[in-house]
Amino acid sequence: MIDQVFEFVQNHPLLVGAFLLVLIAWIIYETRSASTNALTATQATQLINREDAVVLDIRESKDFKTGHIAGARNIPQSNLDSRMNELDKVKAQPIIVVCKHGQSSGAAQAKLAKAGFERAYKLRGGMAQWQGDGLPVVKK
């Protein structure tokens, strides 16, 4: 098996080189985007308690009802563009965007930043991480 890998590398150096470049670029992109405006659950809790941050849950309504952060507002990601004006009153406050696993909150956070919300953050790991850390959720 390992002999076949070495043979492939020897026979296709350009293909292997291109793969390695793409892999390195992807890793760099992921590490940079993961740390950009991302908060841990502890940092989010501190921001909520100290600066009255607004929690924006972008999951669908049925997921939101199964458990969410206390005081969170639910605007599904699919409706964010049309309902962004609901957040105008809290534009000066920090906003923490929460999704299910922390993967789609980055796009919503970028939309908010582009719309003039200077202190928009995303919750790293989403609700899965929040619940995994044993932090409280509200069910309504």
Side-chain angles (χ1 to χ4, degrees), residues 53-94:
V54 175
V55 178
L56 175 62
D57 196 320
I58 60 169
R59 298 176 297 156
E60 293 300 320
S61 297
K62 70 174 192 162
D63 292 331
F64 181 77
K65 290 176 183 173
T66 62
H68 58 273
I69 299 171
R73 297 176 184 211
N74 181 233
I75 301 177
Q77 187 171 10
S78 58
N79 301 339
L80 185 60
D81 291 331
S82 62
R83 294 180 56 190
M84 196 172 301
N85 61 344
E86 295 177 26
L87 300 171
D88 285 341
K89 292 181 182 177
V90 294
K91 209 169 199 172
Q93 292 174 260

Side-chain angles (χ1 to χ4, degrees), residues 5-61:
V5 171
F6 286 128
E7 183 180 344
F8 182 83
V9 169
Q10 288 175 346
N11 291 335
H12 306 286
L14 292 176
L15 185 61
V16 173
F19 171 75
L20 291 175
L21 284 175
V22 169
L23 180 65
I24 291 169
W26 177 72
I27 290 171
I28 291 170
Y29 172 77
E30 285 296 320
T31 55
R32 284 186 180 172
S33 66
S35 63
T36 305
N37 292 328
L39 301 174
T40 63
T42 304
Q43 292 170 324
T45 303
Q46 290 174 350
L47 202 57
I48 293 166
N49 291 336
R50 294 181 182 162
E51 298 186 42
D52 198 28
V54 175
V55 178
L56 175 62
D57 196 320
I58 60 169
R59 298 176 297 156
E60 293 300 320
S61 297

